[in-house]
Structure formats: structure tokens, C-alpha cells
Amino acid sequence: LHRLHSLLQQLSFQRRRFLVEQFSQEQRLALERYILSDRDRVKRGSRLEPASNQLGRKWSRGGVHCRVHGGRRLYRAHATVGPFSVASRYDAKLATAERFRDVLCAMSKRVAVARSIEEVEQFFREALVEEPRKWGLNGREDMRLCFTASVSAKHWVGRSLATPRFALTELEDGLRAWHKLRQARKSFLLSPLSNVFNTSFLTQQELDTAWCSLSQAYVEVWASSGRRGAAAKLHALRSQHVHLHKRRSKKARHLSVEERILRLLRHWQPGLRGEKRCMPRVPHVPRKKSSK
């Protein structure tokens, strides 16, 4: 349902209305229930407790992560602060984690206004000390803050590459690791504050050079922190990404949004429990001819 709803949102009102008419009554009702429940979930953003049937599971929402350890449920706050991912210590009280989350949100807003790499580092340093103090807390002792920094490597491994986790006592080491990763891919960025590669103007040789530089910096950052296995992890991620890319290329023909929606409808029947039922073939959706 989430995938179907996302595809429908990409269409114009007229095309969306035409496709919704192809839905069965059960499918329309199921989609409406999903949309309404999704809106309710957004409105209840401040309510972090999971449903009763999920009490024993890990969950993460609204900037608070929960895990079960030794039969107890523990909570911690986490947030994205510029290029950094910052987390607090675990605590048995949800209210404490929510308070920590509010501090991290204030830090995120403070770093968001930075206009250069120098300002990002300066504002991050200041926020780690000053924002917890405004709430009567100490980032090092009360919240035990730790952070990682990441740079995008989606073109090569399908995800970002992150540094090891550093405590506030290791702030300088963490910032050095971040600068090392950024420096390895700096010349290929769209702008100094961007995290996106300008791949459309790069040759394959330049992309290979960028990946060699970035992967070497990543391995060195992890090795300098006394962590092993970074090279093996990179190799596994690279191999998996290449394999998935080949599979998607073999699959073939590039489907339009309308065709993807119709394919979902053909394979989806809400309310079935193990029973297989064939859906009637959905009528072909006419396409507009592109005017040249």
C-alpha cells in the first residue's frame, strides 16, 4: 500500500483519477484506510509508545529508539545534525529520552543555518556544549552524546559510508575522520555543502578514481580507530550493489508509473488468506503521444 500510494502521488490529478477507477471496491477501501491511518500516525507524532503487540520488539520513531535489554525496555534519542548522526545514552524512562530528543532537535536547527564547511564545524562544536546547557544538562556526563559522520557513496555501494562512533571525549578524532572522508570526494561535489555527486559530467575513469580515493580514506579512518574489517565490508557492499544493478538491468523494460501501478493491481487482492485468486486484466491505459 505504501508503494502504491507513493506511485499515485507522482501522477497528475487526471491520470490519478483515471487509474483509481480501475481499482476494485476492496482495493479502494484498503487504500483509503491506509491513507487515513497514515494521517493519524502523523498527527500522533508526539506519541511514541508502540502498539501492545509490539512491546517486545525494537522500534524507532519520532527521534527515539527503543530496545529490550535484560528484560527491560531502554530508550535513547537520535537525530541528524548536519552531516552528523548524534545519539544519546540509553535510559529506562521514555520521558528522559524525549527530553534528550528535544535537545538534539535544537542542535539540528542550529547547524542547519551554516553556509560553509567551517561554519558547520563551528556550529556543531558550539551546539554540543551550549544546547544541552540550555536544558540544564551536560552533553558529556548527563546525555553521554556520541556521533558518526557520513558521506554519500550511493553511486558505488547504494548507501552512505559512515565513520566509527565517537564520544564527545573523542570530538577531535571524529571531526578529523569526517574531514578525511569529505576531502576524498571534495572535487566531485556539486557544491561545498552538497552531499551529491555531479555524476552526469564525470567519465567512468573519473568515477573509478573517486571511488578508489574514497574507499582508501574509509579504510584508513576505520583502521586509525582500531577497527578492522572495513576493507572486507566495502568489498561485500560493492559486490552486492553491482549484483543488484545487473539484476535490475536484466529485468528490463523501463515501466512508466502507470504501468507499475497496474502491475501492482494485478498481483494484489486485499483480504485474501492463503487463497489464490486471479484478478481480471486491467484495461490498457492510453498514453499521450510526445509532441516533437
Side-chain angles (χ1 to χ4, degrees):
L1 283 173
H2 174 73
R3 185 179 174 190
L4 182 62
H5 184 238
S6 300
L7 289 171
L8 287 170
Q9 293 289 72
Q10 299 176 31
L11 299 175
S12 64
F13 173 76
Q14 290 79 7
R15 301 297 297 168
R16 187 161 61 243
R17 184 175 180 181
F18 177 83
L19 282 172
V20 169
E21 291 176 355
Q22 314 301 323
F23 287 30
S24 68
Q25 184 178 3
E26 287 183 344
Q27 290 169 342
R28 278 197 299 270
L29 291 174
L31 183 61
E32 288 174 3
R33 285 195 295 268
Y34 169 78
I35 294 173
L36 291 175
S37 65
D38 190 56
R39 288 176 181 171
D40 290 341
R41 181 185 60 80
V42 173
K43 290 179 181 178
R44 297 194 308 265
S46 59
R47 291 292 299 164
L48 299 173
E49 287 287 355
S52 58
N53 61 345
Q54 296 178 332
L55 291 180
R57 304 176 184 176
K58 292 181 180 180
W59 55 268
S60 180
R61 70 186 66 159
V64 172
H65 173 76
C66 173
R67 74 171 184 178
V68 178
H69 180 72
R72 294 195 311 159
R73 295 168 65 195
L74 302 175
Y75 307 90
R76 78 170 178 183
H78 60 89
T80 300
V81 182
F84 308 101
S85 178
V86 186
S88 69
R89 64 175 173 83
Y90 278 99
D91 194 90
K93 295 181 180 178
L94 176 59
T96 302
E98 289 178 334
R99 188 183 181 195
F100 291 167
R101 174 203 58 192
D102 294 338
V103 176
L104 296 185
C105 288
M107 292 171 56
S108 181
K109 292 178 181 177
R110 182 164 181 169
V111 176
V113 299
R115 297 185 178 181
S116 66
I117 294 300
E118 292 74 19
E119 285 190 352
V120 168
E121 180 177 344
Q122 178 189 345
F123 292 175
F124 182 63
R125 287 177 180 273
E126 294 171 353
L128 288 173
V129 177
E130 296 175 7
E131 294 302 330
R133 188 182 298 164
K134 293 178 182 178
W135 294 73
L137 298 169
N138 183 289
R140 180 179 301 179
E141 298 173 1
D142 299 324
M143 300 179 68
R144 295 181 206 161
L145 294 177
C146 58
F147 70 96
T148 62
S150 62
V151 295
S152 176
K154 191 172 182 179
H155 180 80
W156 299 283
V157 294
R159 51 173 285 183
S160 296
L161 295 179
T163 66
R165 191 174 298 276
F166 296 95
L168 286 196
T169 54
E170 306 168 307
L171 177 60
E172 299 302 327
D173 294 335
L175 292 176
R176 273 195 297 269
W178 170 57
H179 282 302
K180 190 176 185 66
L181 289 182
R182 277 197 62 87
Q183 195 66 32
R185 59 195 292 281
K186 179 180 178 182
S187 58
F188 300 96
L189 294 176
L190 289 172
S191 70
L193 283 177
S194 173
N195 204 28
V196 180
F197 266 93
N198 194 2
T199 54
S200 58
F201 297 100
L202 296 178
T203 64
Q204 186 59 45
Q205 183 178 359
E206 289 173 327
L207 288 171
D208 293 341
T209 302
W211 170 242
C212 182
S213 175
L214 180 58
S215 58
Q216 182 179 355
Y218 178 79
V219 171
E220 290 175 358
V221 162
W222 280 80
S224 63
S225 300
R227 320 288 176 89
R228 297 180 180 179
K233 179 181 178 181
L234 273 187
H235 178 72
L237 288 174
R238 180 66 174 156
S239 301
Q240 182 183 20
H241 181 67
V242 170
H243 176 67
L244 288 175
H245 182 71
K246 288 181 179 178
R247 277 185 63 186
R248 288 169 185 164
S249 299
K250 279 183 183 177
K251 261 184 181 179
R253 86 186 228 258
H254 298 286
L255 301 177
S256 65
V257 175
E258 290 94 335
E259 288 172 322
R260 289 159 68 188
I261 292 174
L262 293 178
R263 172 177 283 188
L264 282 175
L265 291 179
R266 293 190 188 105
H267 295 87
W268 174 49
Q269 273 282 18
L272 293 185
R273 295 290 183 272
E275 178 187 357
K276 293 185 178 179
R277 188 184 306 171
C278 294
M279 278 194 65
R281 186 167 289 277
V282 183
H284 174 68
V285 180
R287 282 186 172 184
K288 293 182 180 181
K289 292 183 178 180
S290 58
S291 57
K292 293 185 180 179

